């Protein structure tokens, strides 16, 4: 028996609930409820209107445009790093649009759609990736926490924040985004358990994009994430993360139960990280093209386009308008980032700790030498 065979494959345990098939067919409510009853609590009361579908599609297109522009800017040396959201637009847009704007959100580092929908400008979003700011927006004003790169570190914070909400007596719901890999962290497991024990109003939204950098989900765990959630006492949902309507319906359902005092929940949205882990990664070293091709046929935007076509829910003028809006976003972002100033070493190092440290001083001097070496080469 090979190592691979020995390890359980969580993706083989039941189908995630879906509403919109990859061919653009919208499932009827009887079909969705019978399928979902095997795996998840599921509300099929989502009213699928042309306006809703166009709105979700617009946010996905804008996110995809932002992502491709940011990737190009990184390749042109304007950003230190970029973590692409390509392929995960439905999971992000479907969920963030199901929350109230005042529901506090703790993103991880790839949730660019959540930031866009919350009103972060694309240029503000890229400040952190340029290294000129720890967070380009005001978390309190937008009810959107700073990106957290330390895996799962934000999850105990989200649970604690939700316990504060509980004590304030408001009906706010806190949402924390994480990846499949982050569920292996101790912080995640503590946050899940504590949220359940305290009946805290928090939703954990897991984007299972099949990989934690190069480690596939099947090597990370033996029990699927949505099943583990139940062990902690969280309500759990298992949903096709490339189906924006299913994600939207599941998140609405989870959030309304939490808001009504039903306790915390976890959604596992099954998706695929189409691009590399970050601009520093080369996925061809650890995954097959055949796998990427298979997922390409389940692209989250393409299936919505098929639905819009089939129902005649968009016009050529609307499409052209959106194309133009996307191009404006790209052009504005490019010129904003090109006019960003250089990375200030003081800001980068002196805000890490409250006081001074010999190690940081040494690192700062080392980095200054590194930058100076480049200046010598280019002069
Ligand atoms: C505590 C910690 N350990 C290791 C890392 C390095 N690291 C960055 S991303 C990543 C994989 C995360 O995978 P997943 O949670 O599935 O999210 P994804 O990047 O796929 O969205 C790792 C190990 C980190 N940032 N923080």
């Amino acid at each position: 028996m090979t190592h691979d065979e020995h390890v359980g494959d969580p993706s083989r345990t039941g189908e995630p609930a879906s509403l919109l098939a990859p061919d653009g067919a919208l499932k009827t409510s009887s079909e969705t409820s019978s399928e979902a009853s095997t795996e998840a609590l599921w509300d099929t009361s989502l009213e699928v209107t042309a306006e809703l579908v166009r709105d979700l599609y617009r946010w996905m297109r804008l996110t995809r445009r932002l992502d491709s522009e940011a990737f190009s800017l990184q390749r042109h040396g304007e950003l230190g790093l970029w973590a692409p959201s390509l392929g995960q637009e439905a999971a992000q847009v479907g969920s963030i649009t199901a929350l109230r704007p005042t529901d506090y959100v703790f993103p991880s580092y790839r949730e660019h759609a959540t930031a866009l929908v919350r009103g972060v400008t694309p240029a503000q979003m890229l400040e952190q990736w340029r290294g000129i700011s720890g967070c380009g927006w005001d978390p309190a004003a937008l009810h959107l926490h700073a990106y957290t790169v330390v895996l799962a570190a934000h999850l105990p914070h989200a649970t604690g924040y939700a316990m504060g909400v509980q004590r304030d007596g408001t009906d706010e719901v806190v949402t924390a985004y994480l990846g499949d890999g982050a569920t292996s962290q101790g912080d995640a497991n503590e946050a899940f358990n504590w949220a359940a024990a305290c009946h805290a109003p928090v939703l954990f939204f897991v984007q299972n994009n099949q990989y934690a950098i190069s480690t596939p989900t099947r090597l990370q765990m033996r029990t699927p994430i949505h099943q583990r959630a139940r062990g902690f006492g969280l309500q759990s949902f298992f949903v096709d993360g490339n189906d924006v309507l299913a994600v939207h319906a599941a998140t609405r359902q989870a959030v309304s139960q939490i808001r009504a005092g039903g306790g915390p929940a976890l959604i596992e949205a099954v998706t695929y990280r189409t691009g590399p882990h970050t601009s520093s990664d080369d996925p061809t070293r650890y995954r097959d093209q055949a796998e990427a091709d298979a997922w390409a046929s389940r692209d989250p935007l393409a299936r919505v386009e098929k639905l819009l076509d089939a129902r005649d829910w968009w016009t050529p003028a609307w499409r052209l308008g959106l194309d133009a809006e996307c191009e404006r976003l790209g052009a504005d972002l490019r010129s904003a980032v090109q006019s960003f100033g250089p990375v200030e070493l003081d800001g980068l190092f002196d805000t890490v700790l409250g006081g001074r440290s010999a190690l940081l001083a040494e690192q700062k001097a080392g980095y200054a030498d590194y930058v100076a070496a480049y200046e010598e080469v280019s002069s």
Side-chain angles (χ1 to χ4, degrees), residues 74-123:
Q74 196 283 333
R75 287 290 186 252
H76 280 93
E78 298 286 356
L79 304 178
L81 185 73
W82 181 245
S85 55
L86 184 64
Q88 298 181 217
E89 297 90 348
Q92 298 180 9
V93 169
S95 54
I96 189 74
T97 52
L99 307 177
R100 289 182 187 161
T102 47
D103 288 335
Y104 202 82
V105 169
F106 287 82
S108 188
Y109 45 79
R110 200 188 291 287
E111 282 73 44
H112 313 313
T114 66
L116 260 190
V117 171
R118 277 296 166 94
V120 176
T121 68

Side-chain angles (χ1 to χ4, degrees), residues 83-84 88 108-111 148-153 178-185 187 206-215 217 220 273 277-278:
Q88 298 181 217
S108 188
Y109 45 79
R110 200 188 291 287
E111 282 73 44
T148 302
V149 176
V150 179
L151 289 182
L178 64 151
D180 44 276
T183 68
S184 304
Q185 292 285 129
D187 273 355
V206 181
Q207 291 172 82
N208 177 354
N209 67 5
Q210 311 304 318
Y211 286 90
I213 311 186
S214 56
T215 306
T217 309
Q220 290 182 64
R273 195 199 71 215
H277 170 69
T278 66

Side-chain angles (χ1 to χ4, degrees), residues 25 92 94 170 250 267 294 299:
Q92 298 180 9
T170 71
I267 295 176
D299 181 77

Side-chain angles (χ1 to χ4, degrees), residues 63-76 79 82 126 326-327 329-335 337-338:
T63 304
R64 193 164 277 195
R65 186 65 188 89
L66 163 90
D67 186 56
S68 67
E69 192 60 42
F71 208 107
S72 302
L73 285 163
Q74 196 283 333
R75 287 290 186 252
H76 280 93
L79 304 178
W82 181 245
L126 296 202
C326 289
E327 284 322 297
L329 182 153
D332 291 350
L333 181 58
R334 203 158 49 244
S335 57
V337 170
Q338 283 166 348

